[in-house]
Amino acid sequence: MASTRSIDRGLTFRSFSPREHRKMRMEIDDLRTKARNIQNFKITREIQEFLNSSDFDAKISSEIQILEQTIAKEAENHANNVQATHVHLQELIDQVEKLRKENDGLDQQLGEINVSVNERDHIHEIKAEEHMAAKTRGRMHLILQRSRLIELAKVQAQEIAILRAEVERLRMRTFPALVQIEH
């Protein structure tokens, strides 16, 4: 099917059937597509390390071991943080309980103080009422005493008027002429 032809320069060309020619063109297109894909292929650092490293599995296992150690450290730190948080929480609970007991004691003292203050207010009110009653009684006594003294003064004034009248009458009897001169 294929015939060869020789050219002056020493090259030999083979002639292909149209079907073979189409097949080869498709293979060329496929190879160009593969070359383009290879050129566009992104090579990551991990792929580069894989390509450059002779013992990639050992490197991966070493990284896994480092990650496991990191995870173990993080777990230990987390456990320590949880423990510290529990301790702090317990301290806060104890402090709350202490403050609650202190508040209960203060509430009890406040109740006792309120009772004492109410008793003192009641005693003060009673004393104030007694003082006012005593003051009122004293005023009433003074008013009564004054009214008695006024009454006594009126009676005595009447008696003095009667006695003056009698003295005048007796003087008139004894010294009738002198009485007229004086006036």
Side-chain angles (χ1 to χ4, degrees):
M1 290 199 204
S3 61
T4 56
R5 213 191 273 175
S6 119
I7 299 183
D8 296 339
R9 294 185 191 164
L11 296 175
T12 320
F13 287 103
R14 184 174 165 201
S15 59
F16 297 103
S17 70
R19 187 173 169 205
E20 288 178 338
H21 189 60
R22 206 174 329 132
K23 181 181 171 188
M24 283 194 276
R25 281 204 185 267
M26 287 182 170
E27 286 178 357
I28 289 172
D29 287 340
D30 287 343
L31 290 173
R32 283 186 182 152
T33 305
K34 283 183 182 179
R36 199 175 320 118
N37 286 344
I38 290 173
Q39 287 174 350
N40 290 336
F41 186 69
K42 303 267 185 199
I43 297 180
T44 62
R45 287 188 180 164
E46 188 174 303
I47 293 172
Q48 288 175 356
E49 288 176 6
F50 175 73
L51 293 174
N52 292 333
S53 177
S54 60
D55 195 10
F56 188 72
D57 290 335
K59 187 173 184 178
I60 293 294
S61 66
S62 139
E63 287 179 5
I64 289 173
Q65 186 179 14
I66 290 171
L67 288 175
E68 287 175 348
Q69 289 173 353
T70 305
I71 290 172
K73 281 286 187 189
E74 289 296 325
E76 183 180 336
N77 286 343
H78 178 70
N80 289 341
N81 288 341
V82 167
Q83 181 69 22
T85 303
H86 283 299
V87 168
H88 184 67
L89 180 65
Q90 188 61 42
E91 289 173 356
L92 289 176
I93 289 171
D94 293 343
Q95 188 177 7
V96 165
E97 188 63 31
K98 179 183 173 187
L99 289 174
R100 186 174 292 132
K101 286 179 182 178
E102 188 176 322
N103 281 341
D104 290 343
L106 291 175
D107 286 342
Q108 185 178 4
Q109 286 179 356
L110 181 64
E112 293 171 359
I113 289 171
N114 281 337
V115 167
S116 175
V117 167
N118 287 336
E119 288 175 354
R120 285 184 184 173
D121 284 346
H122 184 66
I123 291 170
H124 179 69
E125 288 174 4
I126 290 172
K127 284 185 178 181
E129 288 174 6
E130 288 175 357
H131 181 66
M132 289 299 287
K135 216 175 184 184
T136 304
R137 278 193 301 266
R139 285 183 187 160
M140 289 298 289
H141 180 68
L142 288 175
I143 291 171
L144 185 63
Q145 189 178 13
R146 184 171 183 253
S147 69
R148 284 181 188 161
L149 288 175
I150 289 173
E151 194 71 29
L152 182 63
K154 285 181 184 178
V155 170
Q156 287 177 352
Q158 286 176 356
E159 284 179 9
I160 289 175
I162 292 173
L163 288 175
R164 275 190 185 161
E166 194 173 327
V167 166
E168 193 64 33
R169 191 178 50 90
L170 287 175
R171 223 186 254 177
M172 291 295 267
R173 243 197 248 167
T174 340
F175 305 106
L178 291 177
V179 175
Q180 290 174 356
I181 296 177
E182 287 181 18
H183 285 293

